Amino acid sequence: MSIKMRFLLSYVGVIFFSIILLLTAGFLIIFAITGDAKSIESLYKKTYVQKPLTTEEESIFLDLKLLAKNNAKQLLNENEIRSFEQEDIQIVVRKGMKIEYASPSLDRQVLDQSLPRFEKTNINTRDTIKMNNTFFTYVKFDFYFPDKKEGSIFVLRKASSYTELIREFFPILSGLLLILFIMIIGIVNYFVSRSIIKPLDHLKKAAEKIASGDLDFAIKSTSQDEIGQLNGAFEEMRSRLKKSVNIQIQYEENRKELLSNISHDLKTPMTSIIGYMEGIKDGVANTPEKMEKYVSTVYVKAKDMDSLIDELFLFSKLDLKKEPFHFEMVELNTYLEDYVEKLYLDQGIRMELHLLYHPIYVRADREKLKRVLANVINNCVKYMDKDEKIISISLHERIEDLMVQITDNGKGIESVALPFIFERFYRAEQSRNSQTGGSGLGLAIAKQIIVEHGGEIWATSEVGKGTSICFSLRKGDNR
Ligand SMILES: Nc1ncnc2c1ncn2[C@@H]1O[C@H](COP(=O)(O)OP(=O)(O)OP(=O)(O)O)[C@@H](O)[C@H]1O
Ligand SMILES: [Mg+2]
């Protein structure tokens, strides 16, 4: 069953049961008061069909009735009748067709036409009449004068026209009210269900779109209520799903690119190895010098391939988190000093070291950290284009961590290339076979290692002036 239908049914149910309960309660009250179920019917009649009299009217009417029965002649005595009259209560005495007495405020002519005729049985004694646009409730008693002429006495009271109308139309009015009630419920149902069902419908369509793989849209929530929150949750789900799909696509792209880069980087030295080997086979290297040159070239190319495969292997192990790390507390000042001392650098490169004046500890894997330093310093050397070659390593203490900065005065990196240098296989100069050629894995490996240490790595550079590679390491406990 649809929610719309359920709402409707629940509203109809509420109306139905409230009416039943109201009627039962009314019935019970009347029953408790009168102790008789039938009296309910007579109560209605008394209340609405036989117009009720006020106590004054009742007593005046009874007195007049008594007079009519015992001493009807007295009814023709104007003074006698006038003594009965009270404010708001008018009396009329009729003998035959002639009005013998009528309270002064009443118009005799109109009375003649409006008052009901004589009725021997005295059954319809109470009703309402309209005279000169005014409603009167009356009570009547018909009798015979001693001279056998028909006589009637009327006690009239002005009734509010609204009261009379309401009395007259009570059953219709209550029916109308019921219809109005049902209509209001219907309208309320429409608006309530619209405010719930419409957004749910939107959500359903959105979910269907997501299911069919379309994630390029936004689910807007128009309200703050539960439905709005549901919309928000769906939107969150959609955007996360989209992100993860994008990442998946990116991974797939990367995988393809990686495969093509590896093939390319392995193919190049392999082609030259094959070329030189064919030369040897075909007897092109026909002198011992030529042979020596060919063999050593093959050897160098094979070594290149070997180190590339090593780099690739390390990178993929780091990527898969399969490379074990042996963390220990390392005093960074001594560590860097030792590293630089053992570093073999070409003549003509000046190495500067700026350390801290107090021991500082980090939790690090000595070998892996060495690899980071080596990869960064290799680049400094490789991309150096000045006569006066300077590489400086400086250590900075920050609140949370330590920063190692390695700066060179080499050729620098174009700002467009800067954001990508830590990506695998990325090389600022795209020709992969240049003199400075490498695989583009050096900084990617350094980044993997630093991230595994819980730090960050970044670069700043100015073309023509030099490059700074910085990385942070978390402080360890001083010991
Ligand atoms: N100190 C530097 N000065 C100028 N350019 C640099 C420097 N360090 C890195 N680069 C640029 O960043 C790119 C990526 O460096 P990365 O070390 O990852 O690769 P590579 O040096 O080309 O190859 P590999 O290190 O694997 O032999 C380099 O190709 C180079 O263009
Ligand atoms: Mg490098």
Side-chain angles (χ1 to χ4, degrees):
M1 196 191 295
S2 70
I3 295 181
K4 205 173 177 178
M5 197 64 197
R6 276 184 216 187
F7 269 124
L8 200 69
L9 280 184
S10 73
Y11 284 131
V12 170
V14 167
I15 303 172
F16 183 72
F17 285 112
S18 39
I19 289 171
I20 297 256
L21 285 176
L22 269 173
L23 288 178
T24 317
F27 177 81
L28 283 176
I29 290 167
I30 294 166
F31 191 71
I33 295 168
T34 60
D36 176 15
K38 275 206 167 163
S39 62
I40 295 166
E41 193 189 343
S42 68
L43 189 84
Y44 173 78
K45 272 195 181 157
K46 258 192 204 155
T47 319
Y48 294 105
V49 181
Q50 302 177 0
K51 322 289 169 174
L53 291 176
T54 61
T55 340
E56 289 129 353
E57 276 179 303
E58 195 75 59
S59 73
I60 293 168
F61 179 63
L62 282 177
D63 288 347
L64 286 171
K65 204 168 151 184
L66 206 68
L67 208 61
K69 278 182 182 165
N70 301 332
N71 195 0
K73 258 192 176 169
Q74 280 290 316
L75 292 171
L76 300 173
N77 181 344
E78 201 168 308
N79 290 334
E80 178 74 24
I81 304 290
R82 198 161 282 156
S83 68
F84 286 102
E85 254 177 8
Q86 277 183 25
E87 204 185 335
D88 278 350
I89 297 174
Q90 281 89 22
I91 298 167
V92 174
V93 177
R94 189 174 65 189
K95 188 177 178 188
M97 296 300 282
K98 189 175 168 237
I99 307 277
E100 291 292 343
Y101 175 82
S103 298
S105 62
L106 297 170
D107 183 334
R108 286 181 180 235
Q109 228 177 350
V110 181
L111 277 174
D112 244 356
Q113 291 158 12
S114 311
L115 286 177
R117 298 294 115 209
F118 180 85
E119 191 193 39
K120 204 170 154 188
T121 48
N122 267 320
I123 292 173
N124 299 312
T125 55
R126 288 149 203 246
D127 209 342
T128 308
I129 48 168
K130 195 180 166 194
M131 293 189 291
N132 288 341
N133 290 328
T134 317
F135 281 96
F136 288 89
T137 53
Y138 70 81
V139 58
K140 169 179 81 122
F141 179 66
D142 294 325
F143 60 96
Y144 287 102
F145 278 96
D147 55 4
K148 301 286 177 233
K149 277 221 171 153
E150 292 167 351
S152 304
I153 39 173
F154 297 89
V155 175
L156 298 106
R157 180 168 49 93
K158 230 187 223 173
S160 140
S161 53
Y162 294 115
T163 323
E164 250 339 280
L165 267 177
I166 289 171
R167 278 196 181 150
E168 202 76 30
F169 296 114
F170 173 75
I172 299 167
L173 276 179
S174 34
L176 279 175
L177 273 178
L178 188 70
I179 292 169
L180 195 72
F181 194 39
I182 292 171
M183 272 167 62
I184 290 170
I185 294 285
I187 293 168
V188 168
N189 175 48
Y190 170 72
F191 281 110
V192 169
S193 63
R194 203 178 73 147
S195 68
I196 294 172
I197 290 159
K198 223 176 169 187
L200 277 181
D201 211 40
H202 277 309
L203 210 56
K204 186 182 147 222
K205 284 192 183 117
E208 281 169 358
K209 259 188 176 178
I210 292 173
S212 69
D214 180 4
L215 295 166
D216 295 321
F217 65 98
I219 304 168
K220 285 182 209 114
S221 46
T222 45
S223 58
Q224 297 289 313
D225 58 9
E226 289 85 344
I227 302 267
Q229 287 164 10
L230 187 66
N231 272 319
F234 252 75
E235 172 58 16
E236 175 80 16
M237 183 189 80
R238 184 205 61 83
S239 77
R240 283 195 187 191
L241 207 62
K242 189 173 174 191
K243 261 186 214 148
S244 84
V245 166
N246 283 350
I247 288 172
Q248 210 58 44
I249 293 170
Q250 186 70 46
Y251 274 160
E252 188 56 21
E253 285 297 309
N254 283 358
R255 198 185 57 80
K256 285 182 195 159
E257 202 184 298
L258 191 73
L259 216 63
S260 116
N261 287 338
I262 293 170
S263 319
H264 177 272
D265 283 13
L266 290 177
K267 179 86 183 156
T268 318
M270 198 48 133
T271 315
S272 43
I273 288 172
I274 292 170
Y276 281 105
M277 289 308 271
E278 272 173 1
I280 294 170
K281 215 175 105 195
D282 299 344
V284 180
N286 47 12
T287 61
E289 293 80 40
K290 268 193 183 169
M291 181 62 100
E292 165 68 19
K293 195 185 152 217
Y294 273 43
V295 170
S296 62
T297 312
V298 168
Y299 176 73
V300 168
K301 295 283 171 194
K303 279 287 270 185
D304 277 357
M305 263 180 79
D306 188 49
S307 62
L308 173 62
I309 289 166
D310 270 353
E311 289 238 295
L312 262 174
F313 194 45
L314 175 64
F315 178 79
S316 88
K317 275 202 290 184
L318 285 167
D319 207 18
L320 294 168
K321 309 254 181 278
K322 291 261 171 71
E323 175 70 12
F325 276 72
H326 306 287
F327 288 110
E328 55 187 305
M329 281 304 160
V330 178
E331 204 287 300
L332 216 52
N333 288 298
T334 347
Y335 179 84
L336 288 174
E337 230 165 23
D338 278 0
Y339 176 78
V340 171
E341 214 167 85
K342 287 181 190 138
L343 190 69
Y344 169 77
L345 282 180
D346 284 351
Q347 291 261 307
I349 297 179
R350 198 167 86 221
M351 186 65 155
E352 292 173 0
L353 195 57
H354 305 281
L355 298 173
L356 294 173
Y357 294 107
H358 57 271
I360 196 89
Y361 288 87
V362 287
R363 200 173 147 269
D365 179 322
R366 285 176 177 275
E367 288 311 308
K368 300 283 187 313
L369 205 56
K370 228 181 244 179
R371 183 82 192 216
V372 174
L373 293 168
N375 286 6
V376 174
I377 292 170
N378 271 350
N379 285 346
C380 298
V381 176
K382 201 154 66 165
Y383 304 107
M384 183 65 76
D385 62 350
K386 308 285 180 333
D387 293 332
E388 196 194 4
K389 305 172 168 77
I390 309 166
I391 300 173
S392 92
I393 302 178
S394 47
L395 194 54
H396 305 271
E397 186 172 8
R398 303 197 297 186
I399 299 167
E400 297 272 305
D401 53 16
L402 284 163
M403 185 181 89
V404 181
Q405 183 175 12
I406 302 163
T407 308
D408 63 48
N409 63 338
K411 61 179 185 171
I413 305 166
E414 298 269 353
S415 56
V416 282
L418 209 54
F420 307 104
I421 60 167
F422 296 99
E423 280 180 18
R424 54 195 174 191
F425 292 110
Y426 182 83
R427 308 199 62 241
E429 39 187 86
Q430 288 303 325
S431 95
R432 304 189 72 84
N433 290 317
S434 71
Q435 274 287 289
T436 53
S439 58
L441 281 174
L443 289 181
I445 288 172
K447 186 178 175 177
Q448 296 264 30
I449 293 172
I450 292 300
V451 168
E452 205 63 39
H453 277 74
E456 281 176 70
I457 189 163
W458 66 98
T460 52
S461 186
E462 211 176 312
V463 177
K465 284 204 170 161
T467 305
S468 269
I469 303 285
C470 308
F471 59 87
S472 63
L473 289 169
R474 274 198 227 141
K475 276 185 203 170
D477 298 333
N478 278 23
R479 283 185 305 177

